């Protein structure tokens, strides 16, 4: 099963978490044999417990386990999404833009 890391702006905002849920549910209907990985859902509950850099290390570790990185609309304005894109490039993970 292909594992796709979904990068979306977050900033600890509940509305961004809800946006990711809608995106993943739509994608899941189109490709039920793909595992969509959301760092917001996996690590977002401790977003304010770690330093930004430490939190990104957790995201990078999760991303390193995935086959592809898919960047959601608005990724360019998100420091985290930009860092995830650069990390994916550095380890050879293919990148797709939603």
């Amino acid at each position: 099963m292909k594992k796709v890391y979904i990068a979306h702006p977050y900033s600890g905002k509940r509305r961004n978490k809800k946006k990711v849920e809608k995106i993943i549910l739509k994608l899941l209907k189109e490709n039920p044999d793909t595992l969509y990985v959301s760092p917001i859902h996996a690590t977002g509950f401790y977003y304010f417990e770690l330093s930004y850099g430490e939190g990104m290390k957790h995201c990078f570790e999760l991303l390193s386990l995935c086959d592809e990185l898919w960047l959601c609309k608005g990724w360019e304005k998100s420091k985290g999404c930009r860092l995830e894109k650069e990390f994916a490039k550095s380890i050879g993970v293919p990148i797709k833009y939603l």
Side-chain angles (χ1 to χ4, degrees):
M1 183 177 285
K2 180 166 68 170
K3 297 175 291 299
V4 175
Y5 184 102
I6 302 293
H8 187 284
Y10 182 45
S11 299
K13 296 178 182 173
R14 186 178 171 99
R15 72 175 181 262
N16 286 331
K17 183 177 177 184
K18 291 293 182 190
K19 287 179 184 179
V20 174
E21 290 169 6
K22 287 181 183 179
I23 290 166
I24 289 176
L25 288 173
K26 181 177 184 257
L27 291 169
L28 193 56
K29 287 179 184 174
E30 297 167 6
N31 301 292
D33 293 331
T34 299
L35 172 63
Y36 296 100
V37 177
S38 166
I40 291 172
H41 291 80
T43 66
F45 66 96
Y46 59 81
Y47 182 84
F48 295 106
E49 300 301 317
L50 298 176
S51 69
Y52 191 83
E54 286 298 313
M56 288 308 300
K57 284 183 190 178
H58 287 236
C59 292
F60 295 156
E61 183 64 27
L62 192 57
L63 176 52
S64 73
L65 302 172
C66 294
D67 302 307
E68 295 179 4
L69 165 65
W70 291 9
L71 293 161
C72 295
K73 183 179 178 181
W75 72 268
E76 311 91 338
K77 298 174 187 168
S78 166
K79 178 181 177 182
C81 290
R82 291 192 312 267
L83 289 169
E84 289 162 330
K85 179 185 177 206
E86 288 307 310
F87 179 77
K89 276 175 54 176
S90 75
I91 63 168
V93 171
I95 300 167
K96 179 178 175 179
Y97 303 89
L98 294 178

